[in-house]
Amino acid sequence: MPDFSRSPTRPRAPRCFSLRTATAVLLFRAAGEHRRAAASTALLPRPAEQDASSSSSSPSSSSPPHCSTPDGSPARQELAVRSWLALPWDVTVVLLGSHPSTLALAGRLGRRVTVEAAVDSSFTGTPFFHSMIARAQAAADSDICVLVDAEVVLLPEAVTLLTDLSRIDRDWLLVSMSRNVSSFPYNLAHSAMLEEIQAGKWAADGSDRGLVLAWNNPGRPLLAGVVPSFLYGRGAHSWWLAHEVLSSETRLVFDASSLVLGLYPEDFTAKRGAGLSSSGRLPDGSWESGVNRHLASVYGSYCHRPPGGHHHSFSMLYEVVKHSEDYMLSKVEEPSFSNFVIGREQNTHEGFGKPWNKENSCLSDHLPSYSSENPEAADAPYSLEMLLQFVTDENRSVVLGVAGASYRDMLMSWVCRLRHLRVTNFVVCALDQETYEFAVLQGLPVFRDPTSPKNVSFDDCHFGTQCFKRVTKVKSRIVLEIIRLGYNVLLSDVDVYWFRNPVKFLYSLGPATFAAQSDEFNETGPINMPRRLNSGFYYARSDSATITTMDMVVKHAAKSNSSEQPSFYDVLCGKGGVNRLGDDRCLEPSTNLTVVFLDRDKFPNGAYKGLWERHDLRLACRNLGCFIIHNNWVNGRKKKLWRQTASGLWDYDPSSRMCLQSWGEASSSFTAAEQFHASEDTES
């Protein structure tokens, strides 16, 4: 047994959190005397039932509203949560997710189970592994975190082992594999003893979702570096994490795969076949697995040979062995890690052999060149038509954002704000391949416009520049394409900050109505004067009047040497405003399309009432009843970034590539200046 000093204090009773129906994090705080774990819960035969079968997709942390249930079996998830609640102490569970089935599960299981939705997820609902890890790490007042899939039944042995390991006065990470059980006819009860389970009775599940990860001192770093934006359940992430912790030598790593800590009533690896997502609308694309393989190949050393080659000795690696009722730690001198990383992975992790074999394990360090020009390519993400069908709301309205590489961090802040507001009906048009690949890695519903201008300037594409004029004309062309497909479009520049969701209000204005922000800076007088229609925020309905008029705008802009913005006004309101109606409207005579210039108290531009110079911009806009505020009337990308971050209207951490959350350490310590400099660094 290695000579690790043991803490003289006895662990306190655990406090546990489960992270939604995709995975669970149990958080333990030490206190009081322990009872023997095996005596407190039992698995008893349950009546036969028709279990809801899960698709091959992983469960989602924020499923779209039209999905009936999150992926995975609700019956198995409830069984798993009940197993956590039946562990030897007073356990509380927090499920992450906003899906009605998650809320219903919490309601059935009583006050000890609550729901929290603040974990990043992709537009398909697949949660991000790095956001899950960050949520667990935010629980700095806990002693131990356990990360486990929501369909894994945890056995009392897990608590018994963690109780023993909690006395080790070192930082550590525990890794174990759940056991596959093709038939699982058990219910949980508190009144009987659990029959001892032999480790060899069932096959170990070494898939990422089959792993059980546990670590102590969650307030301290897990590894030397950052966890990339892996998509949970799509492969590579748990193996990558264990390997990087081992390589970082920041923690001892304990391999407990010889023990049975959890059971899963189906082989995870058998669920990886092609099929439909839970929505039935999008195929379960292997592109998500490709994203994870790409990240594994370019971050850390998982796909590279370590110093010393295959026989390099990991000084921090120990195997957990049970002798009678005692646990022993056996030093692993060779990195064969036969029960875990190398030996098992080549059999259980699809396409990944030994981590040191880069040719067999990892993809090249670039993503396939997906684009809307070739949407049928193997493993390609979704076409524009598929995305629109998937994200649209009940009124067939979608929000469109357009961005290039120079605005990718502002794009993500915009996306994070939409996520916080539970706005899911948005799509993103990428102006270049770099932004497209970045957006794919961030889980966005993104498509690439093949007609976008090339060589977009990084720092010289602001209002009035030739670059700006070329880029803006892409937006009107895309809007026209979408409304021709039968969808209403809210075009929102990514420098528009949303306080509330305006889509229902804009839809309520009725058909044959085009609503746009006014760029008028004078606080009094008409707001529909010449050239005061802002083409960075408008709502276009999919009706014949709007389609015909937008076609006129696009053709007018194509012949102009200016941006598209003057074309909007000249077509909709006439040269010099000859088609103006009153102080806030126009009427396009050939189509009878009514143009509404939106109330600036609710939709202020960047010069209105000096709002951006207010000490508390958020409070000022709340008092006005703002839906949004546009960060325009400022010259240059850097000034725009500084103004938005300094005002506190920023929702993205570029260093971690995560949305800022109320539970995150970054939310309280990540200052505006740091955000601005981080943006500069990531875009240089």
Side-chain angles (χ1 to χ4, degrees):
M1 183 76 172
D3 185 20
F4 299 133
S5 60
R6 303 262 179 170
S7 170
T9 60
R10 304 287 291 176
R12 291 171 287 173
R15 185 187 68 174
C16 299
F17 291 85
S18 139
L19 294 193
R20 81 155 313 272
T21 54
T23 195
V25 176
L26 282 68
L27 306 178
F28 292 76
R29 283 192 306 180
E33 289 293 321
H34 290 288
R35 301 192 302 274
R36 193 65 187 162
S40 64
T41 186
L43 297 175
L44 299 177
R46 70 182 181 194
E49 60 185 7
Q50 185 64 38
D51 205 23
S53 61
S54 66
S55 75
S56 58
S57 305
S58 73
S60 65
S61 63
S62 180
S63 298
H66 50 68
C67 296
S68 57
T69 59
D71 295 341
S73 165
R76 288 197 298 266
Q77 291 167 356
E78 181 166 345
L79 175 68
V81 175
R82 288 186 182 278
S83 79
W84 311 331
L85 294 173
L87 289 173
W89 297 289
D90 242 354
V91 176
T92 60
V93 176
V94 177
L95 299 174
L96 291 192
S98 58
H99 194 278
S101 67
T102 307
L103 297 169
L105 176 60
R108 287 196 301 273
L109 297 181
R111 292 183 302 171
R112 295 169 64 195
V113 181
T114 58
V115 175
E116 178 185 338
V119 166
D120 291 354
S121 63
S122 72
F123 82 98
T124 61
T126 306
F128 281 110
F129 183 66
H130 69 325
S131 185
M132 294 175 175
I133 294 291
R135 175 62 182 90
Q137 287 290 82
D141 60 338
S142 299
D143 289 334
I144 297 175
C145 294
V146 181
L147 184 70
V148 62
D149 190 90
E151 296 187 16
V152 171
V153 172
L154 286 180
L155 303 179
E157 177 101 61
V159 174
T160 306
L161 175 59
L162 292 175
T163 298
D164 200 59
L165 295 179
S166 68
R167 304 188 186 101
I168 296 178
D169 194 22
R170 295 278 299 275
D171 291 345
W172 48 262
L173 170 74
L174 173 79
V175 186
S176 182
M177 290 184 283
S178 60
R179 294 307 197 265
N180 296 327
V181 187
S182 58
S183 176
F184 194 71
Y186 299 105
N187 268 327
L188 289 168
H190 295 277
S191 57
M193 297 288 289
L194 176 68
E195 178 185 355
E196 182 177 355
I197 297 176
Q198 300 296 326
K201 186 173 181 179
W202 294 300
D205 192 328
S207 68
D208 274 307
R209 293 181 59 195
L211 291 183
V212 178
L213 301 173
W215 64 95
N216 66 341
N217 300 325
R220 300 178 188 171
L222 264 179
L223 67 160
V226 298
V227 181
S229 52
F230 290 114
L231 291 160
Y232 176 74
R234 298 304 194 243
H237 51 73
S238 293
W239 294 104
W240 182 94
L241 179 68
H243 179 274
E244 291 307 307
V245 172
L246 196 59
S247 298
S248 299
E249 299 188 348
T250 55
R251 291 173 176 262
L252 302 172
V253 178
F254 300 142
D255 170 19
S257 295
S258 63
L259 307 177
V260 181
L261 305 185
L263 298 175
Y264 179 72
E266 183 178 342
D267 188 349
F268 276 125
T269 59
K271 299 170 65 178
R272 292 180 178 170
L276 292 178
S277 71
S278 61
S279 70
R281 300 187 179 194
L282 288 179
D284 175 42
S286 58
W287 70 270
E288 292 187 332
S289 299
V291 164
N292 281 13
R293 290 170 183 251
H294 165 77
L295 292 171
S297 70
V298 297
Y299 283 86
S301 59
Y302 181 69
C303 293
H304 305 274
R305 294 182 181 275
H310 178 71
H311 296 291
H312 174 65
S313 177
F314 290 111
S315 61
M316 311 290 278
L317 176 59
Y318 294 84
E319 183 178 5
V320 180
V321 181
K322 188 174 183 180
H323 293 285
S324 185
E325 296 300 316
D326 297 321
Y327 299 103
M328 308 295 290
L329 300 178
S330 175
K331 183 74 174 64
V332 177
E333 299 296 339
E334 296 293 335
S336 60
F337 216 173
S338 59
N339 288 327
F340 174 45
V341 172
I342 296 178
R344 293 279 185 177
E345 184 178 19
Q346 57 187 330
N347 295 323
T348 60
H349 194 51
E350 280 189 350
F352 274 69
K354 298 181 179 181
W356 317 137
N357 189 343
K358 184 178 181 182
E359 292 77 15
N360 295 331
S361 302
C362 303
L363 295 183
S364 61
D365 60 357
H366 64 277
L367 289 172
S369 296
Y370 303 135
S371 77
S372 57
E373 296 175 273
N374 187 24
E376 304 302 325
D379 298 341
Y382 315 118
S383 66
L384 173 60
E385 291 82 355
M386 294 174 69
L387 292 175
L388 294 172
Q389 182 184 8
F390 184 70
V391 306
T392 185
D393 69 6
E394 65 275 12
N395 295 319
R396 293 183 66 82
S397 293
V398 296
V399 180
L400 172 66
V402 180
S406 60
Y407 278 87
R408 70 182 192 184
D409 286 346
M410 187 164 280
L411 164 67
M412 282 310 304
S413 181
W414 180 78
V415 167
C416 289
R417 184 58 188 167
L418 296 190
R419 288 173 176 171
H420 288 164
L421 293 174
R422 300 288 180 261
V423 177
T424 59
N425 60 321
F426 69 91
V427 292
V428 174
C429 174
L431 295 175
D432 50 68
Q433 186 65 21
E434 179 184 350
T435 304
Y436 182 83
E437 294 185 0
F438 172 81
V440 168
L441 294 178
Q442 294 290 98
L444 305 187
V446 62
F447 63 97
R448 173 79 192 278
D449 175 42
T451 65
S452 298
K454 304 296 188 282
N455 302 319
V456 176
S457 173
F458 193 83
D459 279 317
D460 191 24
C461 204
H462 50 81
F463 183 83
T465 62
Q466 290 300 315
C467 174
F468 176 85
K469 295 174 183 177
R470 289 185 288 119
V471 166
T472 60
K473 295 177 183 180
V474 173
K475 297 187 293 185
S476 55
R477 291 201 305 268
I478 296 297
V479 169
L480 178 58
E481 179 181 356
I482 294 175
I483 62 177
R484 279 175 169 165
L485 290 171
Y487 298 90
N488 310 311
V489 179
L490 171 55
L491 184 283
S492 174
D493 282 353
V494 297
D495 62 352
V496 174
Y497 187 85
W498 289 37
F499 296 103
R500 297 184 286 152
N501 186 352
V503 174
K504 288 186 177 179
F505 167 77
L506 296 171
Y507 181 81
S508 71
L509 297 177
T513 302
F514 183 94
Q517 185 181 48
S518 172
D519 231 6
E520 179 58 61
F521 56 88
N522 291 314
E523 294 184 25
T524 60
I527 64 173
N528 59 350
M529 295 299 286
R531 304 299 172 88
R532 286 295 177 250
L533 188 151
N534 188 296
S535 63
F537 188 88
Y538 61 85
Y539 185 77
R541 296 179 69 112
S542 180
D543 54 41
S544 59
T546 306
I547 292 172
T548 300
T549 306
M550 280 298 299
D551 186 51
M552 294 162 57
V553 170
V554 169
K555 290 176 178 177
H556 187 283
K559 299 175 183 178
S560 170
N561 292 324
S562 300
S563 70
E564 66 172 4
Q565 191 152 294
S567 296
F568 270 90
Y569 191 88
D570 290 349
V571 170
L572 297 175
C573 296
K575 290 279 189 177
V578 297
N579 299 326
R580 290 173 54 219
L581 293 178
D583 291 341
D584 63 354
R585 293 176 183 249
C586 293
L587 180 66
E588 202 291 310
S590 66
T591 60
N592 285 325
L593 179 69
T594 299
V595 182
V596 176
F597 287 73
L598 294 166
D599 180 356
R600 288 175 299 164
D601 281 352
K602 292 181 171 58
F603 299 89
N605 60 63
Y608 182 62
K609 289 187 175 180
L611 289 173
W612 281 104
E613 283 68 51
R614 300 286 183 93
H615 174 70
D616 191 339
L617 171 57
R618 192 181 295 274
L619 177 61
C621 283
R622 184 183 303 126
N623 292 337
L624 286 173
C626 299
F627 279 101
I628 57 97
I629 185 170
H630 202 151
N631 188 8
N632 64 344
W633 286 93
V634 60
N635 192 25
R637 180 183 66 93
K638 294 181 180 180
K639 291 180 180 178
K640 190 185 294 277
L641 282 169
W642 182 88
R643 185 165 76 168
Q644 189 158 334
T645 56
S647 298
L649 304 186
W650 191 262
D651 291 83
Y652 178 64
D653 178 0
S655 63
S656 65
R657 292 194 173 181
M658 286 190 291
C659 297
L660 297 178
Q661 305 285 4
S662 59
W663 46 257
E665 180 182 355
S667 296
S668 59
S669 62
F670 198 55
T671 66
E674 288 172 332
Q675 292 174 25
F676 175 68
H677 290 307
S679 296
E680 294 294 293
D681 291 341
T682 58
E683 294 176 346
S684 60

